Amino acid sequence: MTRSLSLYCILLLSQILGLTEGYLIVSMDLLPPVVIGDTVTLKCNFQTDGILREIAWFQVTEGGNAKQKIFTYDSVYNVSFSNMEDERKREELVYHSTVRLPEVQLEDDGLYECHVGIYNKGSREKLVVASGSITLTVIVPPKSISVAAANSPAPFSRYEVKNFTLVCIVTGAKPAPLVYFKRDGELIDVFPATRPSSLVGYNSKGSSHNKNRSGNQVLPRGDLDDTKIQKSLSLQNQGVELTQLRQNETDTFEQGIKEGSRLKLESTTEVIPETVVSREFPRWVQSSDPLYYFQHWQQVLGDGTMEVRAMLTWNLNPQLDNEALFSCEVKHPALSMPMQAEVTLTAPRGPKLFTRPSKAKVGDTVRISVQGFQLGPSATKVFPEPLFTWTRVGGNLLDGSEKHDGRELVLERVHAELNGSMFRCTAQNPLGSTDTHTRLIVFENPRLKKGREHFVAINAVASQHLLTLNILLLLLRFTWELT
């Protein structure tokens, strides 16, 4: 209705002023965001009373400084005059032009322009040109999502309450997804964490000229519907200053994790009540549920996609948190359902040791390694990654050191004195600690024994030959003296 009224006003004004120049109105159909790999059709509509001369499509590149022609139509339409009473009123013609982009990619994202040129019906001396533009937004679903422990591997403390941090890494998305955490399938109530200034400068390897923006996000408990998401975003924007991350930063993710592990929640740290410790296992007595603190930051990668890292920090309780299922989920307009990664917090239990070779001989290189653990029904692996420490009961290791860190202990060229030695492997993570022992049995090496016997036989033959030579020399000397 509004467009018809505007067109009528233009025609009326042209008649009143006696203008003979044809009119041309160009418009573009609205275009929703398109998922990468889909096919999209750009549509340009135009109304005119003149004769169509040319249609040209351009893709605007380099931030608007350059245009690349992607389609051209050059033609003159045969049109007839209207049989209306008012001969001065020209016939209105409606056209449209479409451009089909199959399997759109990130490089197709941007501004597109449709340029239309017409001639007047009465004269072709002057070309009337008009244009319209539309922005094509290409969105990309996340390529990967993973959950890691910021302070892993870390030792277990029986008498000290420690902060524990989960880090959710989402890469390859455009735009940045909404990230949230769940525990045992239930959305976690979180509080915005006070982020130290050292984290503001964090930037993993990527495009140095891209600008990064980060902020804190608070999510309510309950189902994740659109209303609560909008509420979460509004809470995110209240009292949070979005800071542009430093450019040309080359810190690695491990450096960011180390900084995250030193996170000090000074103003929001949970107050732990009095702790009751038993000799067998600590029993943390808490009056309420743990408080979870949330922070996240994001950056633009070199290919134009986003990388988001979200951190969930709380005071770990080994008894309550052992075998708890934590999941990180993301919501993105390119996904029909949330994408998630989950981990089960598990204390190491029952390490399974494997010795190679199974029957070690004197002079062999022996490897003792941890092949797995006894896991509960809900866990598929021990998380966080345990810290392994090897010791020898009653003495030092073969190289003279008191202990060795790592999943495998290597004993090179074992000797007979190690026979019967007991080796202890301690596996621990923030949720618990466990020890297991293995006894090393060293057998005699037949090859080395045969070699020793052969060496003794050679020595005996050589001694016999030397004795014979000495006797011959004595006989020669005696004969010389007689003559």
Side-chain angles (χ1 to χ4, degrees):
M1 184 57 132
T2 305
R3 180 179 297 178
S4 301
L5 183 60
S6 301
L7 181 59
Y8 175 77
C9 293
I10 293 175
L11 292 175
L12 183 61
L13 181 61
S14 300
Q15 294 179 12
I16 294 175
L17 299 178
L19 299 177
T20 59
E21 183 175 321
Y23 75 90
L24 176 61
I25 300 176
V26 179
S27 63
M28 306 285 289
D29 281 3
L30 295 178
L31 190 65
V34 180
V35 180
I36 187 172
D38 288 353
T39 298
V40 63
T41 300
L42 308 179
K43 188 175 182 181
C44 174
N45 306 305
F46 53 95
Q47 297 178 351
T48 181
D49 62 350
I51 300 174
L52 178 63
R53 175 65 180 85
E54 182 184 38
I55 302 175
W57 284 85
F58 296 89
Q59 181 182 9
V60 182
T61 59
E62 299 180 7
N65 297 324
K67 294 182 180 180
Q68 179 182 0
K69 185 178 290 188
I70 60 175
F71 176 79
T72 301
Y73 177 77
D74 189 350
S75 178
V76 176
Y77 282 92
N78 295 321
V79 294
S80 59
F81 287 94
S82 170
N83 293 324
M84 302 182 66
E85 295 180 358
D86 188 355
E87 296 180 357
R88 293 180 301 171
K89 185 173 183 179
R90 300 177 178 181
E91 183 179 7
E92 177 185 337
L93 302 177
V94 180
Y95 303 94
H96 70 267
S97 174
T98 59
V99 171
R100 183 172 177 268
L101 303 177
E103 298 182 358
V104 294
Q105 302 299 317
L106 274 177
E107 54 266 23
D108 297 324
D109 186 277
L111 184 66
Y112 290 81
E113 294 182 352
C114 173
H115 294 250
V116 180
I118 64 165
Y119 287 129
N120 289 338
K121 282 188 175 181
S123 172
R124 296 191 178 185
E125 296 179 355
K126 186 176 181 180
L127 183 67
V128 179
V129 179
S131 65
S133 63
I134 190 172
T135 300
L136 172 62
T137 302
V138 179
I139 60 177
V140 183
K143 293 180 181 178
S144 65
I145 177 175
S146 60
V147 180
N151 46 353
S152 178
F156 169 72
S157 177
R158 188 177 298 273
Y159 307 108
E160 181 183 359
V161 180
K162 292 185 177 181
N163 281 342
F164 183 75
T165 300
L166 287 178
V167 182
C168 181
I169 307 105
V170 184
T171 60
K174 178 181 177 292
L178 175 65
V179 183
Y180 51 94
F181 285 92
K182 287 184 177 181
R183 173 170 177 159
D184 296 327
E186 184 180 0
L187 192 65
I188 297 177
D189 279 335
V190 296
F191 297 88
T194 302
R195 182 177 56 192
S197 59
S198 60
L199 286 181
V200 176
Y202 166 72
N203 183 5
S204 65
K205 293 182 179 179
S207 176
S208 60
H209 63 276
N210 292 318
K211 296 181 179 180
N212 306 321
R213 299 172 67 86
S214 63
N216 295 326
Q217 184 172 348
V218 180
L219 296 179
R221 184 183 297 275
D223 297 333
L224 190 70
D225 55 25
D226 293 337
T227 303
K228 293 183 178 180
I229 290 178
Q230 294 300 327
K231 181 180 179 181
S232 301
L233 294 177
S234 64
L235 291 174
Q236 171 184 345
N237 295 329
Q238 291 179 4
V240 178
E241 179 180 1
L242 299 180
T243 307
Q244 178 179 339
L245 300 183
R246 293 198 304 262
Q247 300 180 2
N248 301 322
E249 196 71 44
T250 57
D251 293 342
T252 61
F253 171 59
E254 288 77 8
Q255 292 172 334
I257 290 301
K258 290 180 181 179
E259 292 176 348
S261 64
R262 295 195 299 267
L263 179 64
K264 296 181 179 180
L265 307 176
E266 298 179 355
S267 61
T268 56
T269 300
E270 179 183 0
V271 178
I272 303 299
E274 183 179 358
T275 300
V276 179
V277 180
S278 68
R279 292 184 179 275
E280 293 79 15
F281 199 84
R283 296 184 180 274
W284 312 118
V285 180
Q286 294 178 325
S287 59
S288 61
D289 293 336
L291 302 180
Y292 295 93
Y293 302 98
F294 179 84
Q295 66 170 324
H296 85 291
W297 63 92
Q298 63 192 40
Q299 69 167 358
V300 181
L301 300 179
D303 60 357
T305 60
M306 303 294 296
E307 182 178 78
V308 177
R309 305 178 189 270
M311 298 178 67
L312 183 72
T313 302
W314 75 99
N315 288 142
L316 190 69
N317 187 321
Q319 283 189 315
L320 298 179
D321 293 328
N322 189 30
E323 297 189 357
L325 176 64
F326 284 83
S327 61
C328 170
E329 299 188 6
V330 297
K331 187 173 183 180
H332 192 271
L335 296 174
S336 58
M337 60 184 301
M339 185 178 181
Q340 73 169 14
E342 59 184 24
V343 293
T344 301
L345 302 188
T346 309
R349 182 179 59 184
K352 302 175 183 179
L353 301 184
F354 180 71
T355 303
R356 299 184 310 242
S358 57
K359 293 184 178 180
K361 303 178 182 63
V362 175
D364 289 348
T365 296
V366 179
R367 299 177 181 271
I368 309 175
S369 58
V370 180
Q371 295 297 312
F373 295 88
Q374 297 178 5
L375 301 175
S378 60
T380 58
K381 65 176 183 178
V382 174
F383 182 89
E385 177 69 19
L387 178 66
F388 299 96
T389 305
W390 298 85
T391 56
R392 179 186 175 191
V393 178
N396 293 335
L397 298 176
L398 189 58
D399 60 358
S401 59
E402 295 182 356
K403 64 177 182 176
H404 171 76
D405 295 329
R407 197 180 188 93
E408 183 179 64
L409 175 65
V410 179
L411 305 173
E412 296 183 354
R413 299 179 181 179
V414 296
H415 46 76
E417 287 74 10
L418 285 180
N419 184 35
S421 296
M422 186 77 70
F423 292 90
R424 178 192 296 116
C425 176
T426 301
Q428 58 180 326
N429 67 5
L431 293 161
S433 176
T434 183
D435 293 338
T436 187
H437 299 76
T438 184
R439 187 179 296 277
L440 179 63
I441 304 300
V442 182
F443 295 90
E444 291 186 356
N445 195 330
R447 292 177 300 177
L448 296 179
K449 184 177 181 181
K450 184 183 297 184
R452 287 195 298 269
E453 292 175 352
H454 181 64
F455 181 74
V456 171
I458 291 176
N459 287 342
V461 172
S463 300
Q464 184 178 0
H465 289 172
L466 182 60
L467 178 60
T468 303
L469 181 60
N470 290 332
I471 293 174
L472 289 176
L473 290 175
L474 288 174
L475 289 175
L476 289 175
R477 182 178 179 183
F478 180 73
T479 304
W480 174 265
E481 291 178 353
L482 289 178
T483 57

